[in-house]
Amino acid sequence: MLFSKYLSFILLLLVPTFPSANSLGFTCTTAKTCKWLAGYAPLNATTLSNIATLFGFGLTDFSTLLGANNLPIDTPPYTSVAANETIVIPFTCSCQNGTGMADYTTLYTVQSDDFLDRIGRDIFSSLVTYQEIAAVNSINNPNLIDVFQVLRIPLPCSCDDLDGNQVAHYAHVVRHNNHGEVDTLEMIAKQFGVTVESLLKLNGGNLEPSEETIIDIPLRACASKVGSTSPDYPLLVAHGTYTFTADNCVKCTYDSNNKNSMLRCEPSSSKDKFEYSSPCPPGKCVGHGDKGTKLNSALGQNSYIDDSGCYKRYCAYTGFETEYPPTISASIVNITTCPGEYIIF
Ligand SMILES: *[C@@H]1O[C@H](CO)[C@@H](O)[C@H](O)[C@H]1NC(C)=O
Ligand SMILES: *[C@@H]1O[C@H](CO)[C@@H](O)[C@H](O)[C@H]1NC(C)=O
Ligand SMILES: *[C@@H]1O[C@H](CO)[C@@H](O)[C@H](O)[C@H]1NC(C)=O
Ligand SMILES: *[C@@H]1O[C@H](CO)[C@@H](O)[C@H](O)[C@H]1NC(C)=O
């Protein structure tokens, strides 16, 4: 993490110019940052570690990549990925001036046979166009790029709400099947368990999927209890994924296939933690002595289930603070199974 931050900073100095953003990416009307997911499909067989390197993941972020793909935490980096297999890439999206772009983490060094269109299409599986790469890197003539030139790859993204709710956005690139056909909007909506209306709302109303169209999909997600002052606010966890937060000290999992599921945030186990990251402060729920509630229950534990089995009290993760000494906050919440916590479209 630290390493990638410094690298980003250095490159920020080298590439100081911004495009006039309006022609780029998705619309993103609220100026803020959020977590974003993108579906990447490598052209050739590769490994998870090559994909992590390509997208600028630091060593400590590898677990985040595993989480977004719901892969076991001990999945080795050399695990192979078949050609055209979709791997979900999690990143931070920043919205400014009406457009969303990935933060400065994905950089690409030009190789000897590269040209911009190949970089966007073949290497980044059409998540970005050559025009977008040219604009962000102030390249006037897209045919003139230098070998070893370092390019910022402006993956498009959005943090916009849908109908006043925060959503977990996912960039889906439309690709043709073996018969050269592309899915209809109805098929795409069905695949992701969302409605056609929500796709139309999020993608500007007029959406006709064709090869390489990027569609912004509002994934089913469970909202967390994280407060607005916490650096990870709003923490939304998409269905079938897990994520790490609070400097990798807390692991949050959401599986909407389980009927009574809710977002579960628990202390990370030692093997989830990168070996030389700082130690984790404890997260505990204290001081809620109402009937049946255990004091000092640990983060993620049910502290009380009543006789009818209806109300659970649960020690929920509510945020963290980076000031020294770092703290993780938690508080007892009542859970009436999930409905109040789901955001489903
Ligand atoms: C991957 O997809 C591309 C484009 O859809 C296709 O041309 C190619 O043959 C596929 N590769 C494999 C190994 O299936
Ligand atoms: C956004 O617009 C403002 C004013 O038009 C400008 O000063 C700023 O540099 C722009 N930011 C980006 C990231 O384009
Ligand atoms: C994929 O493999 C082919 C054949 O080895 C190679 O020519 C091509 O450059 C590779 N594409 C990418 C994006 O690595
Ligand atoms: C949880 O529900 C109980 C009733 O079952 C109520 O007494 C209590 O105040 C509620 N606690 C919170 C934090 O809402």
Side-chain angles (χ1 to χ4, degrees):
M1 197 65 192
L2 258 188
F3 172 71
S4 59
K5 261 185 205 145
Y6 282 123
L7 188 64
S8 311
F9 178 67
I10 293 164
L11 278 140
L12 194 70
L13 296 178
L14 293 177
V15 191
T17 36
F18 261 99
S20 75
N22 289 340
S23 60
L24 300 173
F26 293 120
T27 55
C28 193
T29 46
T30 8
K32 61 176 177 182
T33 62
C34 65
K35 297 289 171 206
W36 173 267
L37 301 170
Y40 171 69
L43 192 67
N44 293 332
T46 182
T47 61
L48 284 178
S49 131
N50 286 342
I51 295 175
T53 307
L54 180 67
F55 284 91
F57 282 75
L59 284 171
T60 51
D61 306 325
F62 189 67
S63 53
T64 309
L65 181 64
L66 294 177
N69 291 279
N70 208 21
L71 291 167
I73 193 68
D74 52 3
T75 305
Y78 52 78
T79 301
S80 55
V81 174
N84 293 345
E85 179 182 343
T86 301
I87 294 292
V88 178
I89 311 293
F91 60 88
T92 303
C93 177
S94 292
C95 296
Q96 273 173 324
N97 294 358
T99 303
M101 263 189 253
D103 263 359
Y104 283 92
T105 48
T106 301
L107 302 163
Y108 179 78
T109 306
V110 175
Q111 307 296 307
S112 58
D113 325 323
D114 279 344
F115 47 97
L116 280 190
D117 187 53
R118 177 184 125 88
I119 295 172
R121 250 202 191 104
D122 293 356
I123 297 181
F124 287 95
S125 80
S126 305
L127 282 169
V128 61
T129 63
Y130 80 85
Q131 292 92 335
E132 289 164 343
I133 303 175
V136 168
N137 294 283
S138 304
I139 296 170
N140 294 327
N141 182 350
N143 296 319
L144 286 182
I145 51 171
D146 299 325
V147 177
F148 303 133
Q149 185 175 352
V150 176
L151 300 175
R152 182 188 166 202
I153 304 299
L155 301 166
C157 58
S158 171
C159 295
D160 281 0
D161 292 353
L162 179 58
D163 296 334
N165 292 307
Q166 288 154 343
V167 297
H169 293 267
Y170 174 82
H172 170 69
V173 181
V174 176
R175 298 177 214 279
H176 65 250
N177 61 21
N178 293 340
H179 310 293
E181 296 152 351
V182 296
D183 287 350
T184 62
L185 203 55
E186 285 72 21
M187 289 155 88
I188 294 167
K190 195 165 172 230
Q191 181 190 345
F192 289 98
V194 299
T195 61
V196 169
E197 293 69 47
S198 66
L199 293 182
L200 289 172
K201 272 187 194 156
L202 212 51
N203 291 274
N206 189 5
L207 182 63
E208 190 71 40
S210 61
E211 182 77 14
E212 295 179 352
T213 309
I214 304 185
I215 301 186
D216 185 355
I217 312 248
L219 290 185
R220 279 186 294 165
C222 206
S224 66
K225 297 285 178 193
V226 170
S228 60
T229 55
S230 182
D232 52 356
Y233 175 84
L235 180 70
L236 293 171
V237 182
H239 158 61
T241 70
Y242 62 87
T243 191
F244 292 93
T245 187
D247 193 21
N248 281 351
C249 286
V250 175
K251 179 184 185 182
C252 296
T253 309
Y254 174 49
D255 172 12
S256 69
N257 288 333
N258 171 354
K259 196 160 118 295
N260 292 323
S261 69
M262 56 181 193
L263 187 69
R264 284 264 161 205
C265 292
E266 293 163 334
S268 312
S269 68
S270 56
K271 67 177 179 185
D272 300 333
K273 283 275 292 171
F274 188 58
E275 53 189 295
Y276 52 83
S277 42
S278 44
C280 289
K284 262 186 185 173
C285 287
V286 290
H288 290 262
D290 54 328
K291 180 176 162 284
T293 305
K294 279 187 242 155
L295 286 175
N296 288 328
S297 47
L299 193 63
Q301 279 180 1
N302 288 333
S303 61
Y304 175 71
I305 299 177
D306 80 0
D307 299 339
S308 67
C310 279
Y311 287 103
K312 280 179 195 151
R313 271 168 232 162
Y314 169 74
C315 181
Y317 169 68
T318 57
F320 77 105
E321 223 178 87
T322 46
E323 300 275 303
Y324 192 82
T327 52
I328 288 178
S329 55
S331 76
I332 300 280
V333 294
N334 283 335
I335 306 287
T336 53
T337 53
C338 207
E341 293 213 305
Y342 279 119
I343 300 178
I344 298 182
F345 293 95

